[in-house]
Amino acid sequence: MLLAFTAASAPLSISGMQIGMVALAVLAAAGVGRSWNVVRRTPLDGVLAICAGALALSTVVGGHVLQAGDWLRHWVALAYFVVFWWLRDRDHARRLALVVVIAGGVAGAYGILQHFTGADWYRALFGFATRALPRVPGAQGFAVVGFFRNYLTFAHAMIFPLVWAGAFAVAGSATAAAAAVLIAFAVIFSTARGVWLAAVAGGALLAGLSGRRGVLLLGAAAGVAGIAVVWSTGLREQAAPIFTLGGENTARLEIWRANLDIIHDHPLLGLGFGHYRGPATPYYDRHPEADRRSHAHSNVLQVAAEGGLIGLAAFCLVFAVILRRGFAAIGSTRSPGEWATVVGGCTGMVTFLLAGLTQYSFGDAEVAIGMWLTTAVLMRYAEGT
C-alpha cells in the first residue's frame, strides 16, 4: 500500500511522495536482520557510487564543504532504493507503473479545469496565494501548475505519467489512452516549451518502438495538439512569446552564458558541488539580463558548473547505464503490459533528459522522485540482463 501511495503521489503531491518514501525506508531499515529484510544490492550501486564520489571530490576541492547545503536536496535519490527494494517482481513493477498512469490522468483532468477556470484548490483550502496565473499577463487561460509550485515543475513531473500512459495505450489499454489524452492536454496548457519539444522527440521514439501502432500514436498526438490550440483561445497568445528571441528568452540565454563562463573558468571540478549561489554571483553580475540566479536552468549546465566536466561525465554515466540496461530489458518482456512498462520507462527517461537541457529539473524533488521511481521500475526488469 505504501508503494502504491508513493506512486500515486508522483503526479499529485510532493508531500505524499516524501512521506511514502520515508515510510518505506523506515520499514526497510526495521527489516534488516529479520526474515522480511528487503535491503539488497541494486544494479546501479556501482555507478551511483562513482557519481557521488566525483561530485564529493568537487565539493572538497572547492573548499566550501560546510557551505555545500545543496547536497541535501538530493536525498530524494533514496526513492530509487526503497522502490527497488520493495518491488516484489516484474508484475508488481507493471502494476506500479499503471498506478502512476491513473494518478496522472487525475492530475491531467484537474490541469484542464485549472487552465480554463484558474482553480487552485490546495492553496485556496489553506489560504495561500494562487499559483495558477496566465503565462502572459492579461491573456485568457491559466498556465497549469496542478498541485505543484509552478508550471515548469508540473510539466516536468508529468513526463513519466504521460509517456507511460502512451505506452500502455499502444499496448491496448483504453484507461491508459484516456489518461494520455488528459495528461497531454494539461502539459500543453502548462505552456512549458522545453517539455513540449522533448515530448515531441519522446513521442517519436515511442512511435518508433511501437511498430505499426506508432503511426496511430503520432496521429493521436497531433490531433490532441490541434484541438488544444483551437479549444483554448488564450493558448496561442500565451505561447507566442516563447518563439521569439526577446523577453524571457533573452534572460534564459544570459543565464546559460553566465554558467558557460563558470565552466570555462572551472572546467574540471567546477565551483564545488552543493555550493552554487554564492560563488556564481560574480558571473551573473556580468550578465545583468539574467532574471534568475538560483540555478542554471539546465541539468547539464548546472551539474557542469557545480561539479565540473568530471562531475558531468559521472552524471551522464549514470543515465547511460540506466538507458543501456533499460533498453536491453525490452527484449526480455513477456507480455504487452511488461513491454509498455519498460518501453514507457525508457522513453520517459530520454524525454526527461531532453527536457532537462533547458531546465534544472534534477534539482526539483517533485520531478526527481518520479525519475528515481521510474529508474527503480526499469532496474527491476533489468536484473539479470
Side-chain angles (χ1 to χ4, degrees), residues 92-112:
H92 192 194
R94 176 191 61 81
R95 287 185 280 113
L96 195 73
L98 281 172
V99 170
V100 174
V101 169
I102 293 170
V106 173
Y110 176 65
I112 295 170

Side-chain angles (χ1 to χ4, degrees), residues 209-340:
L209 294 170
S210 303
R212 293 180 179 178
R213 291 187 177 184
V215 177
L216 296 176
L217 176 69
L218 290 177
V224 168
I227 292 171
V229 172
V230 174
W231 189 11
S232 174
T233 57
L235 181 62
R236 294 185 299 275
E237 185 180 358
Q238 296 194 56
I242 70 177
F243 299 106
T244 66
L245 294 178
E248 64 183 67
N249 286 340
T250 297
R252 184 69 61 87
L253 290 172
E254 291 303 305
I255 292 172
W256 291 341
R257 290 187 178 109
N259 284 276
L260 288 172
D261 289 347
I262 293 172
I263 297 167
H264 178 270
D265 290 352
H266 305 272
L268 294 181
L269 292 169
L271 297 171
F273 194 79
H275 184 50
Y276 177 79
R277 298 192 187 192
T281 297
Y283 294 93
Y284 281 102
D285 289 342
R286 302 176 193 171
H287 300 274
E289 290 185 275
D291 60 347
R292 293 178 179 85
R293 300 185 172 201
S294 56
H295 56 74
H297 263 294
S298 166
N299 288 336
V300 171
L301 290 179
Q302 184 72 29
V303 174
E306 289 191 55
L309 296 179
I310 292 176
L312 178 61
F315 177 81
C316 291
L317 178 63
V318 170
F319 288 96
V321 172
I322 292 171
L323 289 173
R324 180 181 66 81
R325 302 202 67 168
F327 278 107
I330 294 175
S332 71
T333 57
R334 300 183 291 262
S335 68
E338 287 194 359
W339 177 90

